[in-house]
């Protein structure tokens, strides 16, 4: 998705999981996808970014978590603490 649309989604409280497909194996990407799918919230996006300096990063409005490896506990904690915290309360 275009960066402008992604930023607008953050503004509405979404969380984005970015991943670098060059730094994750196909199996790791599948694991990350399974974690993403299992998180039962509406405002979430998962997108590849070849230029990402880490394997995985999560963003919400004003927050960033960079991970060198997939850490399900940290991903779930980030969602719990930062989901739907954007300045505009609206669906994406």
């Amino acid at each position: 998705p275009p960066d402008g649309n992604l930023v607008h989604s953050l503004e509405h409280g979404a969380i984005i999981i970015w991943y670098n497909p060059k730094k994750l194996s196909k199996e790791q990407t599948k694991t990350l996808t399974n974690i993403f799918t299992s998180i039962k919230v509406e405002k979430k996006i998962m997108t590849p970014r070849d230029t990402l300096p880490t394997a995985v990063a999560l963003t919400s409005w004003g927050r960033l978590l960079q991970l060198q490896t997939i850490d399900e506990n940290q991903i779930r904690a980030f969602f719990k603490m930062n989901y739907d915290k954007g300045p505009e309360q609206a669906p994406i």
Side-chain angles (χ1 to χ4, degrees), residues 41-61:
V41 298
E42 293 179 16
K43 300 177 185 180
K44 62 181 180 175
I45 299 166
M46 184 170 151
T47 189
R49 180 63 57 109
D50 289 345
T51 58
L52 193 66
T54 60
V56 178
L58 284 80
T59 54
S60 65
W61 190 257

Side-chain angles (χ1 to χ4, degrees), residues 5-76:
N5 291 15
L6 294 171
V7 171
H8 191 73
S9 295
L10 293 173
E11 189 176 29
H12 284 217
I15 291 179
I16 302 172
I17 297 179
W18 311 79
Y19 67 97
N20 187 330
K22 296 176 182 177
K23 295 186 180 205
L24 294 178
S25 69
K26 289 187 186 286
E27 187 62 35
Q28 289 171 315
T29 301
K30 183 178 177 183
T31 297
L32 186 61
T33 301
N34 289 340
I35 294 167
F36 175 80
T37 303
S38 74
I39 297 172
K40 302 300 182 194
V41 298
E42 293 179 16
K43 300 177 185 180
K44 62 181 180 175
I45 299 166
M46 184 170 151
T47 189
R49 180 63 57 109
D50 289 345
T51 58
L52 193 66
T54 60
V56 178
L58 284 80
T59 54
S60 65
W61 190 257
R63 300 285 184 258
L64 169 65
L65 172 64
Q66 295 180 341
L67 300 171
Q68 294 299 329
T69 61
I70 297 169
D71 185 325
E72 185 171 356
N73 290 331
Q74 285 192 31
I75 292 169
R76 290 186 181 282

